[in-house]
């Protein structure tokens, strides 16, 4: 029986899943989830303007949900489960991961370390029926400063991604202005979320945890590390470089606990956990030396980034992938890469008890960074997890 790969379009990750399925001999079919009409009432049908996918929907037992939009991904899981399909990840997991606040509430409930987080269920501006506006920025700022009295405050969109609407407030004026920018919408449905600024030095972690049906969850022992001083946000789209680092056993165990907390009773799942280390003053090298090493690594990293942007990935994926792998191998071979990796691993070992988790991703990007930095092709646990859900 086939596994359905549901997505809006084929980007690097989806092409990587398709390529890996071919290598593993797994039958994979495709379900579009954007310009398609899903009809219910007199039976069920699923049709694009040019093709009828109704039979595909009916035939597949398991759906690998790779819709990139959080809203579409949540709807996709609910629809598929209502049609009697099993999904990786489940709608329960998608509902949890959709909201940073929901994720953090559940981690907090289980005693897992998180940054101090404050939620004010009030929008920055209320608009009355007569069009008059009531501005709440000052009151919201007062509440945040009351709960996070010292240091900078980070304002976050609750359902944001790729660093969107994450703003650092270093003083009162910036705090009020950032609250004003937090308007209700798809990435921030209600209220305002703020966090203390974690002194993570120059790096943060992307940790992969997964589970197959009838097996214990596992944490991959090597994390992808995003490193650099260009931006305080945890994202490679914003200028950070990529490295790998071995995780201490205690961190792996904590990551598994996070995964179990978020997944609940789901039988099979895969998550990418974002974590920061509250390094503070526990730094193991001089920053002048560190920045010089990052500058050297950046030169080789730029060549990787250039290939990533090449449109060849959309025309000839396998050729593009070979070029990307070759350039990434060059990047990892330079001495600056190894030097920075050693600095990170040593610092992580020293500060392993200062780790905090701040987000869980149910549809992590992996082909271009995680796979090449850590050696883990996330497509494999994705496909194995989906396979394990097929009734034997």
């Amino acid at each position: 029986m086939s596994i359905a790969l549901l997505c809006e379009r084929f980007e690097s990750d989806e092409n990587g899943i398709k390529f890996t399925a071919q290598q593993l001999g797994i039958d994979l079919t495709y379900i579009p989830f954007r310009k398609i009409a899903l009809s219910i009432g007199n039976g069920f049908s699923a049709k694009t303007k040019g093709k009828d996918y109704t039979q595909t929907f009916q035939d597949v037992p398991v759906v690998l949900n790779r819709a990139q939009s959080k809203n579409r991904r949540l709807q996709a899981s609910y629809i598929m489960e209502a049609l009697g399909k099993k999904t990786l990840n489940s709608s329960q997991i998608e509902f949890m991961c959709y909201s940073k606040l929901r994720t953090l509430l559940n981690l907090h409930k289980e005693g897992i370390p998180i940054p101090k987080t404050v939620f004010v269920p009030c929008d920055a501006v209320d608009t009355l029926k007569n069009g008059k506006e009531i501005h709440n920025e000052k009151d919201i700022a007062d509440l945040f400063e009351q709960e996070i009295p010292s240091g900078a405050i980070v304002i976050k969109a609750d359902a944001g991604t790729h660093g969107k609407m994450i703003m650092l407030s270093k003083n009162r004026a910036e705090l009020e202005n950032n609250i004003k920018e937090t308007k209700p919408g798809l990435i921030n449905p209600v209220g305002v979320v703020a966090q203390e600024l974690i002194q993570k030095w120059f790096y943060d972690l992307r940790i992969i945890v997964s589970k197959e049906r009838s097996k214990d969850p596992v944490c991959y022992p090597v994390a992808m590390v995003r490193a650099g001083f260009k931006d305080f946000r945890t994202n490679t789209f914003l200028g950070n470089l990529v490295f790998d680092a071995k995780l201490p056993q205690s961190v792996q165990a904590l990551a598994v606990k996070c995964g179990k907390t978020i997944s609940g009773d789901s039988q099979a799942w895969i998550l990418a956990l974002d974590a920061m280390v509250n390094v503070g003053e526990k730094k193991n090298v001089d920053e002048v030396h560190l920045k010089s090493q990052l500058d050297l690594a950046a030169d080789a990293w730029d060549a990787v980034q250039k290939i990533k942007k090449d449109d060849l990935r959309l025309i000839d994926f396998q050729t593009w992938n070979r070029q990307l792998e070759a350039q990434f191998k060059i990047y990892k071979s330079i001495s600056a890469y190894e030097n920075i990796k050693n600095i990170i691993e040593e610092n992580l070992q020293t500060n392993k008890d200062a780790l905090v988790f701040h987000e869980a991703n149910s549809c992590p990007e992996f082909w271009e960074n995680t796979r090449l930095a850590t050696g883990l092709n996330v497509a494999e646990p994705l496909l194995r997890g989906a396979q394990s859900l097929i009734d034997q």
Side-chain angles (χ1 to χ4, degrees), residues 124 137 144 153-156 165-183 192 232:
E137 299 95 338
F144 286 154
I153 296 175
V154 178
I155 303 295
K156 288 190 169 185
M165 294 303 293
I166 297 180
M167 298 169 285
L168 179 61
S169 313
K170 296 179 181 178
N171 54 52
R172 175 69 185 219
E174 288 182 354
L175 179 60
E176 288 187 21
N177 186 65
N178 289 339
I179 292 169
K180 287 179 186 177
E181 293 295 316
T182 311
K183 299 177 177 64
V192 189
F232 78 98

Side-chain angles (χ1 to χ4, degrees), residues 236-307:
T236 55
F237 288 92
L238 303 168
N240 290 325
L241 280 68
V242 170
F243 300 88
D244 69 286
K246 294 179 182 178
L247 294 170
Q249 285 291 336
S250 60
V251 173
Q252 294 180 46
L254 194 57
V256 167
K257 185 177 180 181
C258 284
K260 291 166 71 174
T261 298
I262 293 163
S263 62
D265 58 2
S266 297
Q267 294 179 315
W269 43 267
I270 185 165
L271 297 167
L273 305 173
D274 287 338
M276 296 181 287
V277 183
N278 199 357
V279 173
E281 298 302 316
K282 294 183 179 179
K283 303 172 183 177
N284 49 317
V285 297
D286 174 73
E287 283 194 5
V288 174
H289 169 69
L290 173 59
K291 288 177 180 178
S292 70
Q293 293 297 296
L294 286 167
D295 287 342
L296 290 171
D299 291 338
W301 178 246
D302 287 344
V304 174
Q305 294 290 76
K306 184 177 179 180
I307 293 176

Side-chain angles (χ1 to χ4, degrees), residues 321-335:
N321 184 53
R322 285 194 296 270
Q323 293 177 1
L324 180 63
E325 289 175 343
Q327 194 61 54
F328 211 101
K329 186 176 181 181
I330 293 171
Y331 167 62
K332 290 187 72 173
S333 70
I334 64 174
S335 59

Side-chain angles (χ1 to χ4, degrees), residues 99-163:
S99 162
K100 294 179 175 68
L101 182 62
R102 280 199 290 267
T103 298
L104 291 168
L105 280 168
N106 282 272
L107 296 181
H108 167 73
K109 185 172 67 175
E110 294 301 316
I112 295 167
I114 62 170
K116 181 163 187 179
T117 304
V118 184
F119 172 57
V120 176
C122 173
D123 294 330
V125 179
D126 292 323
T127 304
L128 304 181
K129 289 182 179 180
N130 62 7
K132 181 181 178 181
E133 291 186 342
I134 298 176
H135 286 260
N136 305 309
E137 299 95 338
K138 293 184 184 299
D139 288 336
I140 296 171
D142 287 342
L143 290 168
F144 286 154
E145 289 187 331
Q146 172 183 294
E147 298 303 316
I148 308 175
S150 60
I153 296 175
V154 178
I155 303 295
K156 288 190 169 185
D158 188 40
T161 186
H162 289 167

Side-chain angles (χ1 to χ4, degrees), residues 62-91:
V62 175
V63 176
L64 191 53
N65 185 358
R66 291 291 300 181
Q68 287 301 306
S69 161
K70 284 187 175 183
N71 290 282
R72 266 193 287 273
R73 195 158 65 245
L74 181 57
Q75 291 286 58
S77 284
Y78 272 104
I79 290 168
M80 293 303 171
E81 289 168 0
L83 294 172
K85 313 302 176 183
K86 294 176 181 177
T87 59
L88 192 84
N89 289 311
S90 70
S91 60

